[in-house]
């Protein structure tokens, strides 16, 4: 088995990569030298589409080749130099792509006629997506880039504050070891939990003025950009890019809030377990149902394959293939990126990176990332470059399916009551954090954008008051709150570093995944539907992709089913503590 990436699946050597880079630059020159000709007639338009796709596929190859080396070792100066050069090439490609997109928008009536010709029909969805995302026009596109250039330092400043400038104090844990109070310590000692919580939040508060200013500017930027692009709001823009109905977000959030009593039930049970008169947010860090077991990689792979056996022999073979052919860089090493992530790319193989540490969390990360990698493998095998890359909303479904299948397998095969209770704890956390906590963040985000729409400059107290308000809604009356609870929004990088109005989709994806797991167990014929969903890539709009697996977003009854399943787990927890 290979436990490191085999990047020769992209290029055998740097020389081969540089040769492809040379070919890419020639294609860029060819495409940009007379770009207007590609809309003159249907033959030219087909030539233009194919050349555009080839340029972007070649760019992905050379970009990913050097990027993957940096993922493995950020100290590799030679690869960084090569990557920086390719990044400049990427900027050139982005520029000519936009030129081509502008031509499509300007000539859409004629191009729609071209797309009715049989040889061009396969590109119709691809061109329609280009039009929908670019119909704002060239002048507005230029204004959008100017705004982005002005605010581009926001992300860098936020990262610097979070990663370097916030100084978390060190305090002693219950064993006398000094640790950085970055977050609340998981500890049986309540004084230590409280101390670590308060110290860490004080460190955040020292920077709250700067971070709230950054978030305020980011919100204003997103509102302006969406307006420039012809959308009523950033929410509308996000709906278009995900190809989801605009009304879906509000309907889903309302449905979760209607069932908020289930989240309150979780809070109540945690308070009962603690036997404390007053239960605070930092008391959630008190460990329950501990189970000290190592999951070394070889054992973890056996468990993972047994968990996913319901997905069929071909799926299991792909897991074996991942470790035989260097898809996954599994162990931590100096200079390697710290997070677990899969790369949705057409070139090479579906690479994923982890920092496996022989624990339950590592095994769960592995089965999650395998969900992405195998989804990418199916999508690549069944689609050309233009229809391979499924959107981020679709991407999380398969990984969440894998996680739930892992929970179900471990719970059904637990050897001791201690192990069974541990798995129950982790599965409950999966529901609570994956659904209700994501809704807390979404409601907070909603509130901030609504306030900023009226040109109100948001102050630290605006962020703090809103976050505390929604914590109280999600957690309920069994929890006591203190002022430090209101600072936690600072620790959610998504608000500043990612696209707005996305977090709620994680919760919806989890509900869809739970529906899929249920159908897989009830109906042996459903597996073909699920595999066809994975194979479809981005060859259909999102609604049609979901129709393959019998998910109708006009009927959110599958969300009710997910809530019922969660409540059953909480009832099981309640029966244990009685």
């Amino acid at each position: 088995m290979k436990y490191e990436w085999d990047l020769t699946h992209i290029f055998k050597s740097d020389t081969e990569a540089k040769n492809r880079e040379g070919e890419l630059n020639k294609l860029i020159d060819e495409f940009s030298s007379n770009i207007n000709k590609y809309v003159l007639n249907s033959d030219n338009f087909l030539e233009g589409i194919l050349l555009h796709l080839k340029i972007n596929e070649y760019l992905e190859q050379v970009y990913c080749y050097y990027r993957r080396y940096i993922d493995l070792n950020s100290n590799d100066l030679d690869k960084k130099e090569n990557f920086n050069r390719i990044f400049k090439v990427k900027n050139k490609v982005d520029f000519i792509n936009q030129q081509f997109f502008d031509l499509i928008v300007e000539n859409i009536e004629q191009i729609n006629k071209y797309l009715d010709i049989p040889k061009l029909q396969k590109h119709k969805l691809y061109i329609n997506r280009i039009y929908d995302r670019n119909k704002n026009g060239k002048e507005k596109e230029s204004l959008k880039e100017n705004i982005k250039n002005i605010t581009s330092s926001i992300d860098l400043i936020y990262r610097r504050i979070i990663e370097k400038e916030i100084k978390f104090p060190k305090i002693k844990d219950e064993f006398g070891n000094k640790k950085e109070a970055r977050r609340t310590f998981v500890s049986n000692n309540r004084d230590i939990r409280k101390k670590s919580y308060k110290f860490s939040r004080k460190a955040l508060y020292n920077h709250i003025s700067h971070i709230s200013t950054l978030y305020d500017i980011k919100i204003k930027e997103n509102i302006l950009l969406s307006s420039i692009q012809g959308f009523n709001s950033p929410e509308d823009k996000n709906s278009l890019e995900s190809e989801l109905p605009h009304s879906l977000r509000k309907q889903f959030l309302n449905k979760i809030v209607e069932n908020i009593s289930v989240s309150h039930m979780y809070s109540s049970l945690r308070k009962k377990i603690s036997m404390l008169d007053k239960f605070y947010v930092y008391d959630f860090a008190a460990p329950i149902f501990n189970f000290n077991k190592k999951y070394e990689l070889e054992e973890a792979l056996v468990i993972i394959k047994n968990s996913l056996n319901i997905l069929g022999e071909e799926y299991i073979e792909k897991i074996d293939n991942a470790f035989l052919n260097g898809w996954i860089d599994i162990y931590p090493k100096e200079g390697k990126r710290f997070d677990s992530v899969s790369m949705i790319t057409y070139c090479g193989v579906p690479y994923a990176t982890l920092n496996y540490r022989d624990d339950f969390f590592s095994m769960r990360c592995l089965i999650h990332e395998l969900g992405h990698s195998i989804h990418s493998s199916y999508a690549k095998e069944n689609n050309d470059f233009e229809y391979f890359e499924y959107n981020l909303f679709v991407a999380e479904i398969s990984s969440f399916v894998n996680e739930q299948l892992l929970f179900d397998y471990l719970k059904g095969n637990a050897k001791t009551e201690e192990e069974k209770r541990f798995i129950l704890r982790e599965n409950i956390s999966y529901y609570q954090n994956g659904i209700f906590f994501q809704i807390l963040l979404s409601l907070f985000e909603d509130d901030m954008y609504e306030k900023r729409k009226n040109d109100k400059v948001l102050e630290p107290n605006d962020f703090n008051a809103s976050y505390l308000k929604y914590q109280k809604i999600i957690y309920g009356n069994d929890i006591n709150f203190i002022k430090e609870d209101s600072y936690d929004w600072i620790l959610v990088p998504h608000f500043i570093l990612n696209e707005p109005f996305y977090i709620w989709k994680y919760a919806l994806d989890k509900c869809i995944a739970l529906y899929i797991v249920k159908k897989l167990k009830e109906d042996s014929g459903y597996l073909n539907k699920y595999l066809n969903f994975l194979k479809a890539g981005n060859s259909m709009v999102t609604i049609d992709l979901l129709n393959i697996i019998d998910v109708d977003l006009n009927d959110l009854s599958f969300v009710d089913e997910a809530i019922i399943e969660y409540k059953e787990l909480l009832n099981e927890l309640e029966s244990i503590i009685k």
Side-chain angles (χ1 to χ4, degrees), residues 364-375:
R364 184 175 158 187
C365 282
L366 177 55
I367 202 169
H368 181 100
E369 299 308 334
L370 280 168
H372 289 309
S373 292
I374 295 172
H375 189 173

Side-chain angles (χ1 to χ4, degrees), residues 190-218:
R190 196 186 198 199
D191 289 337
I192 290 175
R193 289 199 304 270
K194 181 178 179 181
K195 187 177 180 181
S196 66
Y197 185 81
K198 288 203 164 193
F199 278 26
S200 64
R201 272 54 182 183
K202 183 179 179 182
L204 295 177
Y205 185 76
N206 290 338
H207 295 269
I208 199 166
S209 179
H210 290 138
I211 293 177
S212 62
T213 300
L214 292 176
Y215 191 20
D216 176 74
I217 296 170
K218 191 72 174 182

Side-chain angles (χ1 to χ4, degrees), residues 242-470:
S242 299
E243 300 174 330
L244 294 172
H246 171 70
S247 59
L248 177 63
R249 184 172 183 275
K250 288 286 192 293
Q251 292 170 359
F252 178 67
L253 292 180
N254 288 340
K255 183 167 279 290
I256 299 299
V257 172
E258 286 168 9
N259 288 279
I260 206 66
S261 61
V262 181
S263 179
H264 297 170
M265 182 180 176
Y266 170 74
S267 298
S268 177
L269 288 172
R270 287 302 307 268
K271 182 180 179 183
K272 284 181 183 178
I273 292 170
S274 74
M275 294 187 291
L276 295 168
D277 291 333
K278 289 186 176 182
F279 191 90
Y280 293 87
V281 172
Y282 55 75
D283 289 318
F284 282 114
I288 62 169
F289 305 153
N290 283 343
F291 179 65
N292 297 318
K293 174 177 169 56
K294 278 192 168 185
Y295 292 91
E296 294 182 356
L297 182 61
E298 287 73 16
E299 181 188 3
L301 282 173
V302 172
I303 291 171
I304 285 170
K305 287 193 277 188
N306 287 340
S307 302
L308 303 181
N309 194 51
I310 195 171
L311 301 181
E313 290 182 12
E314 185 182 38
Y315 198 99
I316 302 302
E317 286 172 6
K318 286 183 180 293
I319 296 175
D320 292 332
N321 194 30
F323 282 92
L324 288 172
N325 292 289
W327 293 15
I328 302 175
D329 202 90
I330 197 81
Y331 291 115
K333 61 189 78 167
E334 186 177 352
K336 182 179 173 181
R337 65 184 296 167
F338 65 89
D339 52 343
S340 297
V341 65
S342 295
M343 289 69 184
I344 305 174
T345 54
Y346 198 73
C347 65
V349 294
Y351 294 110
T353 178
L354 286 87
N355 288 281
Y356 198 89
R357 300 182 190 276
D358 295 343
D359 55 19
F360 176 80
F361 177 75
S362 295
M363 180 170 67
R364 184 175 158 187
C365 282
L366 177 55
I367 202 169
H368 181 100
E369 299 308 334
L370 280 168
H372 289 309
S373 292
I374 295 172
H375 189 173
S376 294
S377 176
Y378 276 119
K380 180 178 177 179
E381 287 171 2
N382 292 276
N383 295 279
D384 294 331
F385 177 74
E386 67 184 311
Y387 291 127
F388 154 75
E389 188 176 349
Y390 42 90
N391 66 46
L392 292 176
F393 170 73
V394 171
E396 293 300 333
I397 294 173
S398 57
S399 289
F400 290 151
V401 166
N402 282 12
E403 286 194 63
Q404 189 56 48
L405 287 171
L406 174 66
F407 285 126
D408 291 350
Y409 174 80
L410 289 172
K411 187 178 177 184
N413 291 273
K415 294 182 174 61
T416 65
E417 193 63 29
E418 181 188 28
E419 183 179 6
K420 186 176 180 180
R421 290 181 179 187
F422 168 75
I423 299 304
L424 175 63
R425 181 195 84 179
E426 291 298 310
N427 203 0
I428 286 173
S429 176
Y430 174 79
Y431 277 86
Q432 183 66 25
N433 294 329
I435 297 177
F436 287 103
F437 183 68
Q438 303 304 319
I439 299 311
L440 185 164
L441 301 180
S442 297
L443 293 171
F444 166 75
E445 186 177 41
D446 259 3
D447 197 22
M448 294 299 94
Y449 273 82
E450 188 63 32
K451 285 181 168 66
R452 195 62 176 88
K453 267 198 317 192
N454 300 318
D455 283 332
K456 170 183 166 50
V457 175
L458 299 174
E459 303 288 348
N461 285 342
D462 295 311
F463 292 106
N464 294 344
S466 179
Y467 195 79
L468 188 59
K469 170 187 172 182
Y470 290 110

